[in-house]
């Protein structure tokens, strides 16, 4: 354990970056997922097509390719943003496609009868989504979205490849000095596992709470 | 109040409505009957544009039914609908179900909406269920809650699509009683149902559909005692023997 203890500040700094990246890109992914879902279940054919195209595109591209493209490609066309910010946006856009897909299955399970009843009362499409369909759909997708959160946490480690110093990159740097890969990367792995475990606990709780309310 | 002219509707290649004409006067109760698949639900759902008409015109209270958007939402706010499967919002209490549209669509204050909701739940006989979730109610109670929810918008017309078909037989009566009460209070109603007793007692006019067309329409006693078309006679013979 001593290589970790000796470099605790570096690890801590890396973990903070990972947590920050995870939280911000997950929040962004939820917003993207909601917007894409609204487009895909809505009445406007063009928006439906865009939404579906979006999901299929991002589900069929590797995240690493997107990160590399954004980090090295955007400055080429004159768009300059910080490494961390660029990474957050890319991960949010990418994971948003997965959230949209999870939400859509939840929405489809609810939408027919409940959405019709809401619209028959005079609620607009947006109101029926917001007050009737989504609150119920979210309950059915807590577990899948929890899994996406965990996958997203793991996926943030790819930013090490484009120069962001997250937990993985910090471990890598420490290893260059200490050359003890097993304790160093096991330690980093345990930290990721801890985040995943907390996420699993929270979704389990959330699901039980919402299930009782039905 | 409702005026339908030349309404035709296709699902893919399959034509389910063939040039339907229908008028419903203010305060009139029209009961629509006919064999399964004859297009009763589709006609009903075209009236508030849950299904879009392909050909023909539909006017509600003198206004053509708008194609989409806020104008359509406004029209629907004035046309109540009750579904076979209740479709109560499962995540909201009965009271919240009734309050949702008045507060969100009409901008009524929560206090005022709650007062009105309790009054309506009283009227349909389930005041004591107000704070329960729909899943805890019997089918008959859920359907009465759904009627109260529709009434909360103070609709000009109420559409019922087989409101008692999903109910256990002992609960059919309580829902039909509420509907009969509404009719007696002068509500304009279009009711798709297989309850011939209700049609005879409550309807001002019975409309018989078959194969996407209105085959016969008339005052209930005349229709049930002496239908003038063979198809209506056959249908009545079938439904009245069991
Ligand atoms: N969404 C749909 N897509 C395709 N076909 C449909 C759809 N809805 C109804 N149909 C078809 O349209 C025809 C008329 O259906 P409709 O539901 O209006 O009949 P109905 O008179 O209400 O019958 P029931 O008494 O069984 O409710 C049927 O042949 C039905 O299969
Ligand atoms: Mg039907």
């Amino acid at each position: 354990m001593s290589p970790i203890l000796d470099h605790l500040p570096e690890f801590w700094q890396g973990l903070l970056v990972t947590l920050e990246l995870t939280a911000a890109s997950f929040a962004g992914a939820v917003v993207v997922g909601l917007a894409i879902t609204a487009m895909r279940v809505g009445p406007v054919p063009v928006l439906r097509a865009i939404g579906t195209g979006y999901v299929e595109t991002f589900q069929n591209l590797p995240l690493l390719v997107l990160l590399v493209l954004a980090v090295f490609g955007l400055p080429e066309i004159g768009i300059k943003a910080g490494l961390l910010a660029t990474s957050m946006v890319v991960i949010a856009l990418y994971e948003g496609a997965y959230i949209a897909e999870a939400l859509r299955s939840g929405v489809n399970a609810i939408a027919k009868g409940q959405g019709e009843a809401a619209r028959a009362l005079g609620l607009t499409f947006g109101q029926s989504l917001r007050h009737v369909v989504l609150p119920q759909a979210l309950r059915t997708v807590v577990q899948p979205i929890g899994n996406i959160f965990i996958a997203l946490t793991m996926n943030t480690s790819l930013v090490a490849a484009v120069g962001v110093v997250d937990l993985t990159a910090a471990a890598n740097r420490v290893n260059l000095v200490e050359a003890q890969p097993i304790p160093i990367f096991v330690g980093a792995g345990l930290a990721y596992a801890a985040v995943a475990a907390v996420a699993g606990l929270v979704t389990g709780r959330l699901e039980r709470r919402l299930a009782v309310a039905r | 109040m409702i005026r339908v002219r030349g309404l035709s509707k296709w699902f893919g290649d399959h034509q389910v409505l063939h040039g339907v004409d229908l008028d419903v006067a203010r305060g009139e109760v029209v009961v629509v009957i006919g064999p399964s698949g004859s297009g009763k639900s589709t006609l009903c759902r075209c009236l508030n544009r849950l299904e879009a008409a392909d050909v023909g015109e539909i006017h509600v209270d003198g206004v053509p039914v708008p194609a989409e958007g806020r104008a359509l939402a406004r029209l629907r706010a004035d046309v109540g609908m009750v579904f076979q499967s209740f479709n109560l919002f499962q995540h909201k209490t009965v009271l919240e179900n009734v309050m949702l549209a008045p507060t969100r669509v009409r901008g009524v204050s929560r206090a005022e909406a709650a007062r009105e909701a309790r009054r309506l739940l009283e009227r349909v006989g389930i005041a004591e269920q107000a704070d329960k979730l729909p899943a805890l109610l019997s089918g008959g109670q859920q359907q009465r809650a759904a009627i109260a929810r529709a009434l909360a918008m103070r609709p000009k017309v109420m559409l019922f699509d087989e409101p008692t078909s999903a109910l256990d037989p002992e609960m059919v009566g309580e829902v039909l009683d509420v509907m009969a009460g509404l009719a007696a209070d002068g509500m304009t109603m279009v009711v798709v149902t297989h309850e011939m007793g209700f049609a005879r007692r409550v309807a001002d006019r019975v409309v018989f559909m078959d194969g996407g067309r209105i085959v016969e329409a008339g005052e209930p006693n005349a229709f049930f005692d002496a239908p003038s078309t063979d198809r209506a006679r056959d249908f009545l013979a079938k439904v009245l023997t069991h």
Side-chain angles (χ1 to χ4, degrees), chain B residues 11 14 16 34-43 51 84 161-162 192 194:
Chain B
F11 285 114
H14 178 41
V16 289
S36 183
S38 57
K40 308 179 297 293
S41 296
T42 307
L43 171 61
E51 302 289 354
Q84 180 174 343
D161 188 5
E162 302 203 24
V192 177
H194 295 293

Side-chain angles (χ1 to χ4, degrees), chain A residues 109-155:
Chain A
I110 306 290
K112 183 109 190 23
Q114 297 280 303
E116 272 187 358
R119 277 178 290 128
L121 282 165
L123 274 71
T124 60
F125 172 75
Q127 285 176 318
S128 76
L129 213 53
R130 180 154 147 244
H131 298 297
V132 175
V133 177
L134 278 179
Q136 297 184 73
L138 286 175
R139 287 162 198 224
T140 67
V141 298
V142 169
Q143 193 62 52
I145 292 198
N147 291 340
I148 292 172
F149 179 87
I150 292 170
L152 182 150
T153 310
M154 307 303 160
N155 278 340

Side-chain angles (χ1 to χ4, degrees), chain B residues 108 155 216 231:
Chain B
V108 175
E216 187 173 342
R231 277 197 275 176

Side-chain angles (χ1 to χ4, degrees), chain A residues 43-130:
Chain A
V44 186
V46 182
L47 293 182
R48 296 171 79 113
I50 295 176
T52 304
Y54 182 93
V55 170
E56 304 215 324
T57 308
F58 279 92
Q59 285 194 336
N60 287 309
L61 287 172
L63 178 55
L64 185 56
V65 169
L66 292 172
L67 281 170
V68 170
L69 263 177
V71 167
F72 301 110
L74 289 183
E76 294 277 305
I77 58 171
I79 301 174
K80 292 209 170 62
L83 264 186
L84 189 60
T86 307
S87 303
M88 279 173 185
V89 170
V90 170
I91 296 176
L93 291 175
Y94 175 82
E95 300 286 348
Y98 288 85
I99 293 206
E101 191 62 15
L103 279 176
R104 191 178 67 126
S105 65
V107 166
N108 283 347
I110 306 290
K112 183 109 190 23
Q114 297 280 303
E116 272 187 358
R119 277 178 290 128
L121 282 165
L123 274 71
T124 60
F125 172 75
Q127 285 176 318
S128 76
L129 213 53
R130 180 154 147 244

Side-chain angles (χ1 to χ4, degrees), chain B residues 19-47:
Chain B
V20 171
D21 297 332
L22 178 70
D23 289 282
V24 182
R26 191 180 302 272
E28 192 181 22
V29 178
V30 171
V31 167
V32 182
I33 62 173
S36 183
S38 57
K40 308 179 297 293
S41 296
T42 307
L43 171 61
C44 199
R45 292 163 57 82
C46 282
L47 298 180

Side-chain angles (χ1 to χ4, degrees), chain B residues 131-196:
Chain B
D131 298 313
K132 292 189 186 160
L133 289 169
L136 300 176
L137 272 58
S138 74
Q141 291 171 332
Q142 289 195 46
Q143 193 60 298
R144 286 185 280 156
I147 294 174
R149 178 176 70 178
L151 290 176
M153 293 301 282
R154 303 177 188 273
K156 298 173 183 166
V157 190
M158 287 281 285
L159 311 174
F160 296 83
D161 188 5
E162 302 203 24
T164 60
S165 296
L167 297 179
D168 293 337
E170 71 270 20
M171 295 172 185
V172 169
E174 63 195 47
V175 172
L176 293 181
D177 286 347
V178 168
M179 292 167 59
L182 270 182
D185 290 346
M187 176 63 77
T188 308
M189 295 165 53
V190 175
V191 184
V192 177
T193 185
H194 295 293
E195 297 293 329
M196 298 303 154

